[in-house]
Coordinates of all heavy atoms in Angstrom, one line a residue:
I1298 N 51.2 13.8 42.3 CA 50.1 12.9 42.6 C 50.5 11.5 42.1 O 50.8 11.2 41.0 CB 48.8 13.2 41.8 CG1 48.4 14.7 42.1 CG2 47.7 12.3 42.1 CD1 47.4 15.3 41.1
T1322 N 21.6 11.4 20.8 CA 20.7 11.1 19.7 C 19.2 11.3 20.2 O 18.4 11.8 19.4 CB 20.9 9.7 19.2 OG1 20.7 8.7 20.2 CG2 22.2 9.5 18.6
E1436 N 51.5 6.7 6.5 CA 50.9 7.9 5.7 C 51.6 8.0 4.4 O 52.8 8.1 4.4 CB 51.0 9.1 6.6 CG 50.7 10.4 5.9 CD 49.3 10.5 5.2 OE1 48.3 10.3 5.8 OE2 49.3 10.8 3.9
V1628 N 51.3 29.2 19.2 CA 50.2 29.8 18.5 C 50.9 30.6 17.4 O 51.9 31.3 17.6 CB 49.4 30.8 19.3 CG1 48.4 31.5 18.5 CG2 48.8 30.1 20.5
E1685 N 49.5 37.4 22.5 CA 51.0 37.7 22.3 C 51.4 37.4 20.8 O 52.1 38.2 20.2 CB 51.8 36.8 23.2 CG 51.7 37.1 24.7 CD 52.5 38.3 25.1 OE1 53.2 38.9 24.3 OE2 52.2 38.8 26.2

Side-chain angles (χ1 to χ4, degrees):
I1298 305 166
T1322 59
E1436 168 55 55
V1628 178
E1685 292 285 350

